[in-house]
């Protein structure tokens, strides 16, 4: 567990794992590292610390659907 925040962030197994804080952003590569060890990509895909791949899960924006 990398998280050293006073109020511990959700761990990598938690459903709200994305609520953990970003500790490093590699904008040019399109991903960020969260303090719970999860890597989050710009398209909302994720890689967990154990190597599990999470498919992107951000749906189309509502205003895009309305148009
Ligand atoms: Zn944290």
């Amino acid at each position: 567990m990398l998280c050293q925040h006073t109020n511990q962030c959700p761990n990598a197994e938690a459903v709200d794992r994305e609520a953990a804080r970003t500790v490093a952003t590699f904008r040019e590569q399109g991903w960020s590292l969260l303090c719970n060890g999860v890597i989050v990509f710009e398209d909302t895909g994720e890689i967990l610390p154990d190597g599990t791949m999470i498919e992107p899960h951000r749906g189309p924006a509502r205003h895009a659907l309305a148009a």
Side-chain angles (χ1 to χ4, degrees), residues 16-51:
D16 57 346
R17 64 176 77 87
E18 293 163 61
R21 293 187 221 179
T22 301
V23 292
T25 300
F26 300 86
R27 199 178 299 277
E28 65 280 0
Q29 296 173 25
W31 60 276
S32 298
L33 174 66
L34 304 187
C35 64
N36 58 7
V38 174
I39 289 173
V40 181
F41 294 94
E42 282 180 346
D43 66 359
T44 71
E46 299 168 19
I47 298 179
L48 306 190
D50 65 1

Side-chain angles (χ1 to χ4, degrees), residues 3-5 7-9 20-21 35-36:
C3 181
Q4 296 178 352
H5 295 120
N7 295 312
Q8 289 262 300
C9 298
R21 293 187 221 179
C35 64
N36 58 7

